[in-house]
Amino acid sequence: MFEALTKGFRAARNRLQGVAELTDENIEQALRDVKLSLLEADVEFNVTKRFLATVKEKAVGEVVKTSVEHKGKKLKIGPGERFIKICQDELEAMMKFDGHPVDFAPKGQLTGIMMVGLQGSGKTTTCAKLARMLKKDGKKPLLVAADMQRPAAVEQLTVLGKSIGVPVFNIPGESPVTICTKAIAEAKSKGCDVIVFDTAGRLAIDEALMKELADIKENVSPENIFLVVDAMIGQDAVKVSKGFHDRLSLSGVVLTKLDGDARGGAALSVKEVTGA
C-alpha cells in the first residue's frame, strides 16, 4: 500500500516543480497521480473522491513559500512538497482516533468484547490472538464459542484456547444468544475480567445474521464491538463495514491477512466509512 502511495505522490510532486502557486490547472494532473495510487492501493472509489476534493480545496490558491524553518534550520520547499504535505496531513486526519483501542469497564466489572464479521475473515483466530494479548497485559479473559453456524468453529476455539491457557465456554445445542448470556455468570465464577464473544459469520450479510448479532448485543451489552475484515476483500470492505456498522455501531475494526495483500487500502476505506 505504502509503495503504491509513494509512487503516486512522487509523480505528483515532480509535476509541480517550478510553479509559484497551486492553481486549479496545475494540480489537476497531480491529483490524478494521487487518485491512481489510492485506487491501486484498493482504497474505495468514493472515499478516494472525497479525499481528493478535500486536498484540492486546501491546496488551490495557496502561495508557496520558498523556505521554511525546521528545528532551527532553513529548508527549501517547493509547491510539490507543499502539495504532498497537504495530502499527508489529510491521510493522517482520516486515520486519527482519540481514545484507546479497547474500552475497559470500571475496575471490578466485566469487560465485554464482541467479535463480528463474515465467514472466512479470520474471526476465531483473531479472538484467540486478542485473548492472548489481553492475558499478557495482566487481564484474565474468557473466550466464548458462540459460532454455532460453522462446523468445527467451537472445536477450533477450544484448541486455540487450550494452546494459550485461556478457558473457553460453550453449551452444546444451545442458541448463540443463550450461550453468550450464560457466559457472563461463567466468567464471574472463574474470576475473569474480560469476556471475548466469538460470534457466527456468513458468506454475505443477511438479515438472519444481523438479527442474531443484534440480539446478542442487546443481551450482553458489550463495551466493544470489533468487526474483523479480510484485507484482501479490497473495495468490498466499504459495503461490509457499513452493513455491520449501521446495525451494530462498531467501536473498532481488525484487519486480517495484511501480510498476504500488497494493497491494504481497505484500512482507509473502513475508517472513513465507520469512524471506528
Side-chain angles (χ1 to χ4, degrees):
M1 174 185 173
F2 293 116
E3 284 176 14
L5 293 181
T6 302
K7 181 180 158 191
F9 286 174
R10 191 178 289 126
R13 186 187 62 196
N14 291 341
R15 289 186 190 281
L16 294 169
Q17 294 298 334
V19 302
E21 185 179 355
L22 297 173
T23 65
D24 265 319
E25 291 74 28
N26 62 30
I27 72 165
E28 207 53 56
Q29 194 60 47
L31 285 168
R32 186 174 178 277
D33 290 326
V34 173
K35 176 184 175 181
L36 289 174
S37 70
L38 288 169
L39 293 175
E40 191 183 327
D42 250 352
V43 179
E44 198 262 345
F45 179 74
N46 288 314
V47 173
T48 300
K49 201 173 165 185
R50 286 195 294 273
F51 172 79
L52 294 172
T54 306
V55 169
K56 185 175 181 179
E57 187 184 335
K58 290 182 178 179
V60 170
E62 185 156 315
V63 178
V64 182
K65 294 178 183 176
T66 54
S67 65
V68 67
E69 191 98 9
H70 179 66
K71 292 182 180 177
K73 293 181 181 178
K74 275 202 169 184
L75 302 173
K76 284 193 173 183
I77 62 163
E81 284 76 16
R82 182 62 193 141
F83 176 78
I84 297 307
K85 180 70 168 68
I86 292 169
C87 289
Q88 182 182 328
D89 289 347
E90 193 52 34
L91 280 172
E92 287 179 3
M94 280 175 74
M95 294 304 292
K96 190 179 178 186
F97 175 73
D98 294 320
H100 302 283
V102 180
D103 287 327
F104 290 102
K107 199 171 180 181
Q109 293 182 31
L110 195 59
T111 296
I113 302 174
M114 184 176 165
M115 308 291 279
V116 301
L118 295 182
Q119 213 171 81
S121 61
K123 184 159 31 65
T124 300
T125 308
T126 302
C127 285
K129 286 181 177 181
L130 180 58
R132 183 170 178 264
M133 186 188 81
L134 291 164
K135 188 182 175 187
K136 277 187 171 183
D137 288 345
K139 302 290 182 184
K140 194 174 178 187
L142 172 72
L143 285 163
V144 180
D147 182 355
M148 306 303 283
Q149 183 77 17
R150 179 170 65 88
V154 175
E155 186 185 346
Q156 182 189 354
L157 194 63
T158 303
V159 170
L160 289 169
K162 192 174 180 182
S163 71
I164 60 173
V166 172
V168 177
F169 179 76
N170 176 261
I171 308 171
E174 276 290 4
S175 72
V177 178
T178 302
I179 292 168
C180 290
T181 306
K182 291 190 175 179
I184 294 172
E186 177 74 7
K188 288 176 181 175
S189 71
K190 287 184 179 296
C192 296
D193 50 14
V194 182
I195 186 164
V196 180
F197 302 96
D198 181 23
T199 65
R202 297 285 193 282
L203 293 175
I205 292 173
D206 63 32
E207 183 52 35
L209 167 67
M210 286 304 175
K211 185 175 186 320
E212 180 178 293
L213 296 176
D215 288 346
I216 291 172
K217 178 187 176 182
E218 189 179 338
N219 278 269
V220 303
S221 302
E223 279 74 18
N224 308 270
I225 301 178
F226 292 153
L227 171 67
V228 181
V229 178
D230 182 340
M232 291 190 281
I233 69 171
Q235 301 278 322
D236 281 343
V238 166
K239 188 171 78 174
V240 170
S241 57
K242 190 175 187 312
F244 278 95
H245 187 59
D246 288 350
R247 195 69 180 263
L248 300 168
S249 296
L250 302 172
S251 55
V253 181
V254 180
L255 278 179
T256 60
K257 308 179 193 177
L258 273 170
D259 56 345
D261 181 55
R263 298 178 299 273
L268 288 170
S269 303
V270 170
K271 175 67 169 64
E272 172 72 4
V273 168
T274 66

